[in-house]
Amino acid sequence: SQQGEEDPQALSIQEGENATMNCSYKTSINNLQWYRQNSGRGLVHLILIRSNEREKHSGRLRVTLDTSKKSSSLLITASRAADTASYFCATDTGSGGYQKVTFGTGTKLQVIP
Amino acid sequence: DGGITQSPKYLFRKEGQNVTLSCEQNLNHDAMYWYRQDPGQGLRLIYYSQIVNDFQKGDIAEGYSVSREKKESFPLTVTSAQKNPTAFYLCASGLFAGELFFGEGSRLTVL
């Protein structure tokens, strides 16, 4: 089974609304990252939050991390049609000098113009 | 331009054949990764490497092999032992404890 699981699996909203995606993971992490993937393309990094951080912002993105609950959320404010994509959380669980990054199952976001 | 390049973009294979997917980066990253993505699914880790001549099995390494003879290159071989190889393969690289940079992927279809 995968380290991370996103919720919901799919989300459809109107342009201008906010979109919230959640990620739960199973083991302790060094950091958690969020990525975006347009259909059939490679992933693009959005934001990284370290295990000792609780919240981080980047433009219209806000990420929270609760290590006690092993969960994170990604908020996209004032969504645009161009935000339509799949979003994945990824966790770094490496140790001993190794960085091991594993991904969740993803949330497919559709923003309707 | 700096980046990570995967080739070929599309590859067709007959059952029983080995195929090798290329991944090259000029970002001077130590870490490199291979992931498999099935339709509508997340990414699953096949192999990863932190330094030259060293690599670790990921969650689904069976039927795959890799080498890391140069810092810039991390080729993946899909062997005939991989029973269901049709998938989208993604290569990534990164600095330690940092973000990953992805290639555009290679789509393998078994005929």
Side-chain angles (χ1 to χ4, degrees):
Chain A
S1 62
Q2 301 210 206
Q3 153 78 332
E5 300 226 351
E6 278 93 332
D7 171 61
Q9 290 187 333
L11 181 60
S12 183
I13 59 173
Q14 297 289 326
E15 200 166 30
E17 292 180 339
N18 294 344
T20 299
M21 288 158 263
N22 302 297
C23 169
S24 59
Y25 57 91
K26 297 173 184 174
T27 62
S28 62
I29 62 173
N30 300 314
N31 64 61
L32 185 143
Q33 305 171 38
W34 284 90
Y35 289 80
R36 166 197 169 120
Q37 183 183 35
N38 288 85
S39 183
R41 305 293 300 274
L43 279 71
V44 175
H45 180 263
L46 297 175
I47 198 164
L48 181 152
I49 186 165
R50 304 205 182 276
S51 59
N52 61 354
E53 297 176 310
R54 292 297 167 257
E55 187 170 316
K56 209 160 182 182
H57 297 254
S58 177
R60 293 184 296 114
L61 306 180
R62 172 179 168 250
V63 167
T64 62
L65 178 65
D66 187 336
T67 53
S68 66
K69 294 181 179 178
K70 291 187 172 59
S71 67
S72 173
S73 67
L74 170 68
L75 169 68
I76 303 174
T77 60
S79 63
R80 305 165 182 168
D83 294 329
T84 294
S86 291
Y87 292 82
F88 295 91
C89 69
T91 53
D92 174 4
T93 58
S95 62
Y98 280 89
Q99 178 188 15
K100 181 181 181 183
V101 179
T102 52
F103 283 77
T105 50
T107 292
K108 194 166 186 176
L109 173 65
Q110 181 186 30
V111 181
I112 302 166
Chain B
D1 286 354
I4 182 164
T5 303
Q6 289 186 240
S7 63
K9 193 171 176 70
Y10 298 96
L11 186 60
F12 298 89
R13 183 193 103 171
K14 292 182 181 179
E15 282 194 33
Q17 286 182 334
N18 292 357
V19 293
T20 298
L21 307 180
S22 170
C23 179
E24 304 274 334
Q25 54 98 1
N26 59 5
L27 300 167
N28 201 33
H29 288 164
D30 288 313
M32 296 189 75
Y33 297 78
W34 274 107
Y35 295 92
R36 170 184 172 137
Q37 187 176 33
D38 292 287
Q41 302 295 313
L43 281 67
R44 291 185 289 168
L45 181 62
I46 305 173
Y47 269 98
Y48 58 110
S49 169
Q50 300 294 308
I51 57 172
V52 173
N53 293 325
D54 188 50
F55 47 83
Q56 304 294 317
K57 291 183 179 180
D59 301 320
I60 57 163
E62 186 174 348
Y64 300 98
S65 67
V66 292
S67 63
R68 187 84 188 277
E69 296 176 2
K70 298 186 300 181
K71 187 176 185 177
E72 303 79 20
S73 179
F74 193 41
L76 174 74
T77 297
V78 184
T79 75
S80 56
Q82 171 49 238
K83 296 307 175 190
N84 185 21
T86 294
F88 188 49
Y89 291 89
L90 287 157
C91 180
S93 70
L95 295 173
F96 183 75
E99 65 192 85
L100 299 188
F101 292 78
F102 279 83
E104 285 298 306
S106 293
R107 191 169 298 279
L108 172 63
T109 302
V110 173
L111 303 173

